[in-house]
């Protein structure tokens, strides 16, 4: 069979977490203690920490686990002791590389491939930067070819994991021999602000740190399960540019998330879903980026989804928080685990993620369980709409 149009698939997934675990109840108590002189803010913080759907998450910054008297990221920290952007970027540089290597090594092992076989490397992050960049350092550390084609996707927010998958799928469709390694590293907790403002406390309630990696190749013709990637769509929401703002400041990156984001997603995303599906019925699998509990709630209600269909997203949010661009890979990994336990057949799916713009990234996919050579050839054109 001619290779052209064979399609692309995720054949390997890997994740990695920092060593420091944040218990949500403990974090809320320490924050409330730091806000003892501002009882209204303390009450609001306790409420949002309890209601945001997160139970645990991880951080690369051990100081965040210190009591209020010594934690430099909490309200009442003297101005001169607040970590500067330079300090935070140094923490990012030191922590991001081993996490990236860890996640990538797991994804390559899962794919049964070696780093030197990768033709392309896409690195994704919006929470830190340095030069030479993560892409160059990781390429050397993993022993990749000196001719590997590197594409860093920087500062694209939570939707960038799907942006990377869309890009990787296009690469593989154009060149079926291509093998793309995607690495996403997000150290969101480095940007927690010592503030009592509601928008700052909201962001501090559910973001976590972590890395994820995936290997995208042509659809494999062997006894291996995979996620076959299908058509994709990107949609900007009109008049919503100021609803999600992420700016560089003297003390890290300052984030503003509008409380209207779930409403805007509910307003614009159903129509985008209908465009992508082009008249097809809603799929069974939904890999929703859990940017917050409200986003999952909104889509579950509007699309008539069951608790089972949002389980992977809610489980990811509960255990790890919002990991920005890396989150969608955690959702897919959790979904794959659930499907493997069910010993299910092929299932159609839709992945969604949201970021600054406001922007939605949507991609069709299908879970294909391990099949023989003949079955794999029959599945290779899945998810195409024309």
């Amino acid at each position: 069979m001619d290779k052209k149009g064979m399609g692309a698939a995720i054949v390997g997934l890997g994740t990695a977490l920092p060593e420091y675990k944040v218990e949500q109840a403990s974090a809320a108590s320490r924050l409330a203690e730091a806000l003892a002189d501002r009882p209204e803010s303390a009450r609001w913080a306790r409420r949002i920490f309890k209601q945001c759907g997160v139970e645990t998450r991880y951080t690369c910054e051990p100081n965040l686990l210190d009591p209020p008297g010594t934690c430099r990221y909490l309200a009442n920290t003297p101005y001169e002791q607040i970590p500067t952007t330079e300090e935070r970027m140094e923490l990012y540089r030191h922590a991001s590389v081993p996490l990236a290597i860890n996640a990538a090594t797991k994804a390559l092992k899962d794919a049964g491939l070696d780093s030197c076989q990768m033709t392309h490397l896409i690195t994704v992050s919006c929470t830190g930067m340095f030069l030479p960049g993560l892409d160059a350092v990781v390429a050397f550390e993993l022993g990749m070819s000196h001719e590997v084609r590197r594409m860093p996707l920087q500062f694209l927010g939570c939707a960038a994991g799907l942006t990377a998958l869309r890009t990787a799928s296009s690469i593989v469709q154009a060149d079926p021999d291509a093998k793309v390694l995607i690495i996403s590293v997000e150290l969101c907790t480095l940007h927690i602000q010592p503030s009592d403002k509601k928008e700052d406390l909201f962001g501090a309630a559910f973001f976590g740190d972590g890395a994820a990696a995936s290997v995208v190749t042509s659809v494999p013709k062997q006894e291996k399960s995979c996620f076959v990637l299908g058509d994709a769509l990107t949609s900007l929401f009109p008049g919503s540019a100021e609803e999600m703002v992420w700016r560089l400041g003297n003390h890290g990156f300052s984030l503003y998330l509008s409380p209207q984001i779930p409403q805007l997603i509910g307003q614009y995303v159903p129509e985008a879903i209908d465009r992508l599906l082009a008249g097809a019925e809603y799929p069974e699998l939904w890999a929703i980026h859990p940017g917050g509990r409200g986003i999952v709630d909104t889509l579950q209600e509007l699309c008539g989804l069951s608790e089972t269909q949002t389980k992977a997203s809610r489980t990811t949010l509960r255990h790890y928080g919002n990991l920005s661009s890396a989150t969608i890979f955690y959702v897919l990994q959790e979904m794959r685990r659930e499907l493997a336990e069910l010993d299910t057949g092929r299932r159609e799916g839709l992945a969604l993620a949201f970021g600054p713009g406001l922007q939605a990234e949507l991609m069709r996919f299908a879970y294909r369980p391990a099949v023989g050579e003949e079955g794999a050839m029959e599945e290779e054109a899945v998810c195409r709409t024309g």
Side-chain angles (χ1 to χ4, degrees):
M1 177 178 287
D2 187 84
K3 286 185 176 181
K4 187 176 181 180
M6 286 180 64
I10 299 173
V11 298
L13 285 167
T15 59
L17 296 163
E19 61 179 298
Y20 304 107
K21 187 175 184 179
V22 180
E23 299 286 349
Q24 189 77 338
S26 175
S29 295
R30 285 185 286 111
L31 180 56
E33 182 181 344
L35 294 168
D37 59 340
R38 282 158 276 188
E40 183 178 347
S41 295
R43 283 193 296 272
W44 193 89
R46 281 188 181 276
R47 185 167 67 252
I48 196 63
F49 268 64
K50 184 177 182 179
Q51 296 177 353
C52 69
V54 177
E55 293 179 4
T56 58
R57 48 202 163 122
Y58 293 79
T59 179
C60 65
E61 169 57 292
N63 182 242
L64 282 167
L65 302 180
D66 287 349
T70 55
C71 180
R72 302 166 64 201
Y73 295 80
L74 298 179
N76 295 329
T77 300
Y79 184 84
E80 64 277 5
Q81 293 182 20
I82 300 171
T84 64
T85 301
E86 180 181 10
E87 289 179 83
R88 298 176 198 235
M89 290 302 93
E90 273 300 291
L91 280 168
Y92 176 91
R93 186 172 67 87
H94 285 290
S96 62
V97 174
L99 284 170
I101 298 297
N102 190 349
T105 300
K106 291 176 181 176
L108 288 164
K109 182 179 180 181
D110 187 39
L113 295 170
D114 192 84
S115 61
C116 64
Q117 295 175 270
M118 298 298 105
T119 59
H120 296 74
L121 171 63
I122 301 175
T123 52
V124 188
S125 189
C126 68
T127 50
M129 57 191 75
F130 59 89
L131 286 176
L134 184 66
D135 56 316
V137 175
V138 165
F140 281 118
E141 291 278 343
L142 286 174
M144 303 181 81
S145 166
H146 293 175
E147 296 180 358
V148 66
R149 299 177 184 181
R150 297 176 287 117
M151 285 171 284
L153 300 182
Q154 294 288 125
F155 229 57
L156 295 181
C158 296
L162 269 185
T163 305
L165 278 175
R166 171 168 54 82
T167 303
S169 180
S170 296
I171 290 169
V172 172
Q173 289 179 55
D175 177 8
D177 292 322
K179 294 177 175 59
V180 186
L181 174 62
I182 300 171
I183 304 175
S184 170
V185 183
E186 301 289 13
L187 306 183
C188 307
T189 67
L190 290 180
H191 301 289
I192 290 176
Q193 299 297 311
S195 168
D196 66 345
K197 295 180 180 179
K198 285 187 175 182
E199 55 264 34
D200 292 330
L201 295 174
F202 181 64
F206 61 90
F207 280 102
D209 297 353
S214 67
V215 177
V216 177
T217 70
S218 293
V219 179
K221 295 185 177 181
Q222 57 204 44
E223 293 186 357
K224 178 177 179 56
S225 65
C226 65
F227 285 113
V228 182
L229 301 177
D231 294 331
L233 182 147
T234 299
S235 178
L236 281 169
F237 305 166
S240 62
E242 296 302 313
E243 302 299 321
M244 185 182 296
V245 180
W246 187 233
R247 293 193 171 101
L248 277 66
N250 294 330
H251 298 98
F253 303 165
S254 180
L255 175 66
Y256 169 71
L257 296 173
S258 166
Q260 302 303 314
I261 290 174
Q263 179 182 333
L264 289 164
I265 288 173
Q267 180 179 349
Y268 290 108
V269 169
E271 189 272 336
I273 292 173
D274 290 342
R275 278 207 321 277
L276 180 60
L277 295 182
E281 294 183 357
Y282 278 1
E284 184 175 354
L285 304 178
W286 289 72
I288 301 169
H289 166 69
R293 179 178 175 179
I295 291 174
V296 182
D297 288 346
T298 295
L299 288 172
Q300 179 168 342
E301 181 178 355
L302 284 174
C303 299
L305 307 180
S306 68
E307 290 294 329
T308 298
Q309 289 174 300
T310 60
K311 183 181 177 183
S313 296
R314 295 191 189 278
T315 298
T316 298
L317 182 65
R318 184 168 63 252
H319 292 317
Y320 310 113
N322 181 348
L323 301 161
S324 191
S325 67
T327 319
I328 195 67
F329 300 107
Y330 281 75
V331 174
L332 289 169
Q333 187 175 62
E334 174 64 19
M335 181 176 288
R336 185 178 66 172
R337 185 192 64 78
E338 293 173 0
L339 291 167
E341 288 181 356
L342 292 171
D343 193 23
T344 181
R346 188 176 74 85
R347 306 275 184 93
E348 299 283 347
L350 181 64
L352 307 93
F354 315 97
L358 289 170
Q359 170 197 356
E361 285 273 4
L362 301 88
M363 174 175 277
R364 299 183 69 181
F365 69 91
Y367 171 74
R368 193 203 72 180
V371 293
E373 179 76 11
E374 181 178 351
M377 292 177 68
E378 293 174 355
E379 295 285 357
E380 66 187 12
V382 72
C383 286
R384 297 289 171 255
T385 60

Short mmCIF file of all heavy atoms in Angstrom, two decimals, residues 304-350:
data_model
loop_
_atom_site.label_atom_id
_atom_site.label_comp_id
_atom_site.label_asym_id
_atom_site.label_seq_id
_atom_site.Cartn_x
_atom_site.Cartn_y
_atom_site.Cartn_z
N GLY A 304 -24.09 17.10 26.91
CA GLY A 304 -24.82 15.94 27.40
C GLY A 304 -23.93 14.77 27.73
O GLY A 304 -24.28 13.61 27.44
N LEU A 305 -22.77 15.04 28.33
CA LEU A 305 -21.80 13.99 28.61
C LEU A 305 -22.09 13.33 29.95
O LEU A 305 -22.61 13.96 30.87
CB LEU A 305 -20.38 14.55 28.60
CG LEU A 305 -19.97 15.33 27.36
CD1 LEU A 305 -18.53 15.82 27.50
CD2 LEU A 305 -20.12 14.48 26.11
N SER A 306 -21.70 12.09 30.08
CA SER A 306 -21.86 11.35 31.33
C SER A 306 -20.64 11.56 32.22
O SER A 306 -19.60 12.07 31.78
CB SER A 306 -22.03 9.86 31.04
OG SER A 306 -20.81 9.32 30.51
N GLU A 307 -20.77 11.15 33.47
CA GLU A 307 -19.62 11.21 34.39
C GLU A 307 -18.48 10.33 33.88
O GLU A 307 -17.31 10.67 34.05
CB GLU A 307 -20.05 10.77 35.79
CG GLU A 307 -20.95 11.75 36.51
CD GLU A 307 -20.25 13.07 36.82
OE1 GLU A 307 -19.02 13.06 37.03
OE2 GLU A 307 -20.93 14.10 36.85
N THR A 308 -18.82 9.23 33.25
CA THR A 308 -17.78 8.35 32.69
C THR A 308 -16.99 9.07 31.61
O THR A 308 -15.76 8.92 31.51
CB THR A 308 -18.42 7.08 32.12
OG1 THR A 308 -19.08 6.37 33.17
CG2 THR A 308 -17.36 6.17 31.49
N GLN A 309 -17.67 9.86 30.78
CA GLN A 309 -17.00 10.56 29.68
C GLN A 309 -16.09 11.68 30.15
O GLN A 309 -15.18 12.07 29.41
CB GLN A 309 -18.05 11.08 28.70
CG GLN A 309 -18.73 9.98 27.89
CD GLN A 309 -19.86 10.50 27.04
OE1 GLN A 309 -20.84 11.06 27.55
NE2 GLN A 309 -19.73 10.36 25.73
N THR A 310 -16.32 12.23 31.31
CA THR A 310 -15.45 13.29 31.84
C THR A 310 -14.53 12.78 32.94
O THR A 310 -13.79 13.57 33.54
CB THR A 310 -16.28 14.47 32.38
OG1 THR A 310 -17.15 14.00 33.44
CG2 THR A 310 -17.13 15.08 31.29
N LYS A 311 -14.55 11.48 33.18
CA LYS A 311 -13.79 10.92 34.30
C LYS A 311 -12.29 11.17 34.17
O LYS A 311 -11.62 11.55 35.14
CB LYS A 311 -14.06 9.42 34.42
CG LYS A 311 -13.36 8.77 35.60
CD LYS A 311 -13.65 7.28 35.66
CE LYS A 311 -12.88 6.61 36.81
NZ LYS A 311 -13.11 5.14 36.83
N ALA A 312 -11.73 10.96 32.98
CA ALA A 312 -10.28 11.13 32.81
C ALA A 312 -9.86 12.57 33.09
O ALA A 312 -8.81 12.82 33.70
CB ALA A 312 -9.87 10.72 31.40
N SER A 313 -10.68 13.53 32.66
CA SER A 313 -10.36 14.93 32.89
C SER A 313 -10.46 15.28 34.37
O SER A 313 -9.58 15.96 34.93
CB SER A 313 -11.30 15.83 32.08
OG SER A 313 -11.13 15.62 30.70
N ARG A 314 -11.51 14.82 35.03
CA ARG A 314 -11.69 15.14 36.44
C ARG A 314 -10.64 14.44 37.32
O ARG A 314 -10.17 15.00 38.31
CB ARG A 314 -13.10 14.76 36.89
CG ARG A 314 -14.19 15.59 36.20
CD ARG A 314 -15.54 15.37 36.88
NE ARG A 314 -16.62 15.98 36.13
CZ ARG A 314 -16.96 17.26 36.21
NH1 ARG A 314 -16.27 18.08 36.98
NH2 ARG A 314 -17.98 17.74 35.50
N THR A 315 -10.29 13.22 36.95
CA THR A 315 -9.24 12.50 37.69
C THR A 315 -7.91 13.22 37.59
O THR A 315 -7.18 13.37 38.58
CB THR A 315 -9.11 11.06 37.17
OG1 THR A 315 -10.34 10.37 37.36
CG2 THR A 315 -8.00 10.31 37.89
N THR A 316 -7.58 13.69 36.39
CA THR A 316 -6.33 14.44 36.19
C THR A 316 -6.33 15.71 37.02
O THR A 316 -5.34 16.02 37.70
CB THR A 316 -6.17 14.78 34.69
OG1 THR A 316 -6.08 13.57 33.94
CG2 THR A 316 -4.91 15.61 34.46
N LEU A 317 -7.42 16.46 36.98
CA LEU A 317 -7.51 17.69 37.78
C LEU A 317 -7.39 17.39 39.26
O LEU A 317 -6.69 18.11 39.99
CB LEU A 317 -8.83 18.40 37.48
CG LEU A 317 -9.06 19.74 38.18
CD1 LEU A 317 -8.06 20.78 37.73
CD2 LEU A 317 -10.49 20.23 37.94
N ARG A 318 -8.04 16.34 39.72
CA ARG A 318 -8.03 16.01 41.14
C ARG A 318 -6.63 15.65 41.65
O ARG A 318 -6.22 16.07 42.72
CB ARG A 318 -9.00 14.85 41.41
CG ARG A 318 -9.12 14.51 42.89
CD ARG A 318 -10.29 13.58 43.15
NE ARG A 318 -10.14 12.29 42.50
CZ ARG A 318 -10.86 11.90 41.43
NH1 ARG A 318 -11.75 12.71 40.91
NH2 ARG A 318 -10.67 10.71 40.90
N HIS A 319 -5.89 14.90 40.86
CA HIS A 319 -4.60 14.39 41.33
C HIS A 319 -3.42 15.31 41.03
O HIS A 319 -2.42 15.30 41.77
CB HIS A 319 -4.31 13.03 40.71
CG HIS A 319 -5.23 11.95 41.19
ND1 HIS A 319 -5.59 11.79 42.50
CD2 HIS A 319 -5.88 10.97 40.50
CE1 HIS A 319 -6.39 10.76 42.63
NE2 HIS A 319 -6.60 10.24 41.42
N TYR A 320 -3.53 16.13 39.96
CA TYR A 320 -2.37 16.90 39.51
C TYR A 320 -2.65 18.39 39.35
O TYR A 320 -1.70 19.17 39.16
CB TYR A 320 -1.86 16.36 38.18
CG TYR A 320 -1.67 14.86 38.18
CD1 TYR A 320 -2.47 14.04 37.39
CD2 TYR A 320 -0.70 14.28 38.98
CE1 TYR A 320 -2.30 12.66 37.39
CE2 TYR A 320 -0.53 12.89 38.99
CZ TYR A 320 -1.33 12.09 38.20
OH TYR A 320 -1.17 10.73 38.21
N GLY A 321 -3.91 18.81 39.37
CA GLY A 321 -4.23 20.20 39.10
C GLY A 321 -4.14 20.49 37.61
O GLY A 321 -4.06 19.59 36.77
N ASN A 322 -4.15 21.77 37.29
CA ASN A 322 -4.00 22.21 35.90
C ASN A 322 -2.51 22.36 35.60
O ASN A 322 -1.83 23.21 36.18
CB ASN A 322 -4.73 23.55 35.71
CG ASN A 322 -4.65 24.07 34.28
OD1 ASN A 322 -3.88 23.58 33.46
ND2 ASN A 322 -5.43 25.09 33.99
N LEU A 323 -2.00 21.55 34.70
CA LEU A 323 -0.59 21.55 34.33
C LEU A 323 -0.36 22.29 33.02
O LEU A 323 0.58 22.00 32.29
CB LEU A 323 -0.09 20.12 34.20
CG LEU A 323 -0.21 19.26 35.46
CD1 LEU A 323 -0.12 17.78 35.13
CD2 LEU A 323 0.86 19.63 36.48
N SER A 324 -1.24 23.23 32.72
CA SER A 324 -1.16 24.01 31.50
C SER A 324 -1.06 23.09 30.29
O SER A 324 -1.81 22.13 30.18
CB SER A 324 -0.01 25.02 31.56
OG SER A 324 -0.07 25.95 30.49
N SER A 325 -0.11 23.32 29.37
CA SER A 325 -0.08 22.58 28.11
C SER A 325 0.15 21.08 28.29
O SER A 325 -0.20 20.28 27.42
CB SER A 325 1.02 23.15 27.21
OG SER A 325 2.30 22.92 27.75
N ALA A 326 0.75 20.67 29.42
CA ALA A 326 1.03 19.25 29.63
C ALA A 326 -0.22 18.45 30.00
O ALA A 326 -0.24 17.22 29.88
CB ALA A 326 2.08 19.08 30.73
N THR A 327 -1.28 19.14 30.42
CA THR A 327 -2.43 18.46 31.01
C THR A 327 -3.10 17.50 30.06
O THR A 327 -3.52 16.41 30.46
CB THR A 327 -3.46 19.49 31.49
OG1 THR A 327 -2.80 20.59 32.11
CG2 THR A 327 -4.41 18.87 32.49
N ILE A 328 -3.23 17.85 28.80
CA ILE A 328 -3.97 17.01 27.85
C ILE A 328 -3.31 15.63 27.71
O ILE A 328 -3.99 14.62 27.51
CB ILE A 328 -4.11 17.70 26.48
CG1 ILE A 328 -5.17 17.01 25.62
CG2 ILE A 328 -2.77 17.79 25.76
CD1 ILE A 328 -6.58 17.15 26.17
N PHE A 329 -1.99 15.57 27.87
CA PHE A 329 -1.30 14.28 27.78
C PHE A 329 -1.60 13.41 29.00
O PHE A 329 -1.69 12.18 28.90
CB PHE A 329 0.20 14.49 27.61
CG PHE A 329 0.56 15.27 26.38
CD1 PHE A 329 0.99 16.59 26.46
CD2 PHE A 329 0.43 14.70 25.12
CE1 PHE A 329 1.30 17.31 25.33
CE2 PHE A 329 0.74 15.42 23.97
CZ PHE A 329 1.18 16.73 24.08
N TYR A 330 -1.74 14.05 30.17
CA TYR A 330 -2.14 13.31 31.37
C TYR A 330 -3.56 12.76 31.20
O TYR A 330 -3.85 11.63 31.61
CB TYR A 330 -2.08 14.23 32.59
CG TYR A 330 -0.69 14.44 33.14
CD1 TYR A 330 0.22 15.27 32.50
CD2 TYR A 330 -0.28 13.81 34.32
CE1 TYR A 330 1.49 15.47 33.00
CE2 TYR A 330 0.99 14.01 34.84
CZ TYR A 330 1.88 14.83 34.17
OH TYR A 330 3.15 15.03 34.67
N VAL A 331 -4.44 13.56 30.61
CA VAL A 331 -5.81 13.10 30.36
C VAL A 331 -5.81 11.90 29.42
O VAL A 331 -6.50 10.90 29.67
CB VAL A 331 -6.67 14.25 29.79
CG1 VAL A 331 -8.05 13.74 29.40
CG2 VAL A 331 -6.80 15.39 30.80
N LEU A 332 -5.04 11.99 28.34
CA LEU A 332 -4.98 10.87 27.38
C LEU A 332 -4.38 9.63 28.02
O LEU A 332 -4.82 8.50 27.75
CB LEU A 332 -4.18 11.29 26.16
CG LEU A 332 -4.87 12.30 25.23
CD1 LEU A 332 -3.88 12.83 24.19
CD2 LEU A 332 -6.08 11.67 24.53
N GLN A 333 -3.37 9.82 28.86
CA GLN A 333 -2.76 8.67 29.53
C GLN A 333 -3.76 8.00 30.48
O GLN A 333 -3.85 6.77 30.52
CB GLN A 333 -1.51 9.11 30.29
CG GLN A 333 -0.71 7.95 30.88
CD GLN A 333 0.58 8.42 31.52
OE1 GLN A 333 0.55 9.19 32.48
NE2 GLN A 333 1.71 8.00 31.00
N GLU A 334 -4.49 8.81 31.23
CA GLU A 334 -5.51 8.26 32.13
C GLU A 334 -6.60 7.56 31.34
O GLU A 334 -7.08 6.48 31.71
CB GLU A 334 -6.10 9.39 32.98
CG GLU A 334 -7.26 8.97 33.86
CD GLU A 334 -6.90 7.96 34.94
OE1 GLU A 334 -5.70 7.83 35.27
OE2 GLU A 334 -7.82 7.28 35.45
N MET A 335 -7.01 8.15 30.22
CA MET A 335 -8.03 7.56 29.37
C MET A 335 -7.55 6.22 28.82
O MET A 335 -8.31 5.23 28.80
CB MET A 335 -8.38 8.51 28.23
CG MET A 335 -9.45 8.01 27.29
SD MET A 335 -9.86 9.26 26.03
CE MET A 335 -10.75 10.44 27.04
N ARG A 336 -6.31 6.16 28.38
CA ARG A 336 -5.77 4.91 27.85
C ARG A 336 -5.75 3.82 28.92
O ARG A 336 -6.06 2.66 28.65
CB ARG A 336 -4.35 5.13 27.30
CG ARG A 336 -3.76 3.91 26.61
CD ARG A 336 -2.38 4.19 26.05
NE ARG A 336 -1.40 4.46 27.10
CZ ARG A 336 -0.09 4.58 26.87
NH1 ARG A 336 0.37 4.49 25.63
NH2 ARG A 336 0.74 4.83 27.85
N ARG A 337 -5.38 4.22 30.14
CA ARG A 337 -5.36 3.25 31.24
C ARG A 337 -6.75 2.69 31.49
O ARG A 337 -6.94 1.47 31.64
CB ARG A 337 -4.83 3.92 32.51
CG ARG A 337 -4.66 2.97 33.69
CD ARG A 337 -4.41 3.73 34.98
NE ARG A 337 -5.55 4.54 35.35
CZ ARG A 337 -6.66 4.06 35.91
NH1 ARG A 337 -6.78 2.75 36.15
NH2 ARG A 337 -7.66 4.85 36.22
N GLU A 338 -7.75 3.58 31.52
CA GLU A 338 -9.13 3.15 31.74
C GLU A 338 -9.60 2.21 30.63
O GLU A 338 -10.24 1.18 30.89
CB GLU A 338 -10.05 4.36 31.83
CG GLU A 338 -9.81 5.25 33.05
CD GLU A 338 -10.63 6.53 33.00
OE1 GLU A 338 -11.38 6.72 32.02
OE2 GLU A 338 -10.53 7.35 33.93
N LEU A 339 -9.29 2.56 29.38
CA LEU A 339 -9.74 1.75 28.25
C LEU A 339 -9.05 0.39 28.22
O LEU A 339 -9.67 -0.62 27.86
CB LEU A 339 -9.48 2.50 26.94
CG LEU A 339 -10.35 3.74 26.72
CD1 LEU A 339 -9.80 4.57 25.56
CD2 LEU A 339 -11.80 3.34 26.45
N ALA A 340 -7.77 0.37 28.59
CA ALA A 340 -7.05 -0.91 28.63
C ALA A 340 -7.65 -1.85 29.67
O ALA A 340 -7.75 -3.06 29.45
CB ALA A 340 -5.57 -0.66 28.91
N GLU A 341 -8.07 -1.28 30.80
CA GLU A 341 -8.69 -2.11 31.84
C GLU A 341 -10.03 -2.67 31.38
O GLU A 341 -10.41 -3.78 31.76
CB GLU A 341 -8.89 -1.28 33.11
CG GLU A 341 -7.61 -0.96 33.86
CD GLU A 341 -7.85 -0.16 35.13
OE1 GLU A 341 -9.03 0.21 35.37
OE2 GLU A 341 -6.89 0.07 35.87
N LEU A 342 -10.74 -1.91 30.55
CA LEU A 342 -12.03 -2.36 30.04
C LEU A 342 -11.88 -3.38 28.91
O LEU A 342 -12.86 -4.02 28.53
CB LEU A 342 -12.83 -1.16 29.53
CG LEU A 342 -13.32 -0.16 30.57
CD1 LEU A 342 -13.91 1.06 29.89
CD2 LEU A 342 -14.34 -0.82 31.50
N ASP A 343 -10.66 -3.49 28.36
CA ASP A 343 -10.41 -4.39 27.23
C ASP A 343 -11.41 -4.10 26.11
O ASP A 343 -12.07 -4.98 25.56
CB ASP A 343 -10.52 -5.85 27.67
CG ASP A 343 -9.95 -6.80 26.61
OD1 ASP A 343 -9.11 -6.35 25.81
OD2 ASP A 343 -10.35 -7.98 26.61
N THR A 344 -11.52 -2.82 25.77
CA THR A 344 -12.52 -2.36 24.81
C THR A 344 -12.03 -2.46 23.38
O THR A 344 -10.84 -2.62 23.12
CB THR A 344 -12.90 -0.90 25.13
OG1 THR A 344 -13.90 -0.46 24.21
CG2 THR A 344 -11.69 0.02 24.99
N GLY A 345 -12.94 -2.31 22.47
CA GLY A 345 -12.59 -2.21 21.05
C GLY A 345 -12.29 -0.77 20.68
O GLY A 345 -12.13 0.10 21.55
N ARG A 346 -12.24 -0.48 19.40
CA ARG A 346 -11.93 0.88 18.94
C ARG A 346 -13.04 1.84 19.35
O ARG A 346 -14.22 1.53 19.26
CB ARG A 346 -11.77 0.90 17.42
CG ARG A 346 -11.26 2.23 16.89
CD ARG A 346 -11.04 2.15 15.38
NE ARG A 346 -12.31 2.14 14.66
CZ ARG A 346 -12.97 3.25 14.33
NH1 ARG A 346 -12.47 4.43 14.65
NH2 ARG A 346 -14.11 3.17 13.69
N ARG A 347 -12.63 3.02 19.81
CA ARG A 347 -13.58 4.05 20.22
C ARG A 347 -13.19 5.38 19.59
O ARG A 347 -12.02 5.75 19.58
CB ARG A 347 -13.59 4.21 21.75
CG ARG A 347 -13.82 2.93 22.54
CD ARG A 347 -15.27 2.62 22.72
NE ARG A 347 -15.48 1.45 23.56
CZ ARG A 347 -15.68 1.49 24.87
NH1 ARG A 347 -15.68 2.67 25.49
NH2 ARG A 347 -15.88 0.39 25.56
N GLU A 348 -14.19 6.13 19.11
CA GLU A 348 -13.95 7.46 18.56
C GLU A 348 -13.89 8.48 19.69
O GLU A 348 -14.55 8.33 20.72
CB GLU A 348 -15.08 7.84 17.60
CG GLU A 348 -15.24 6.93 16.40
CD GLU A 348 -14.19 7.19 15.34
OE1 GLU A 348 -13.51 8.23 15.42
OE2 GLU A 348 -14.05 6.36 14.43
N GLY A 349 -13.11 9.55 19.49
CA GLY A 349 -12.97 10.55 20.54
C GLY A 349 -12.75 11.96 20.02
O GLY A 349 -12.51 12.18 18.82
N LEU A 350 -12.84 12.90 20.94
CA LEU A 350 -12.60 14.31 20.65
C LEU A 350 -11.79 14.90 21.78
O LEU A 350 -12.13 14.72 22.96
CB LEU A 350 -13.94 15.06 20.51
CG LEU A 350 -13.86 16.55 20.19
CD1 LEU A 350 -13.24 16.77 18.82
CD2 LEU A 350 -15.26 17.17 20.25
#
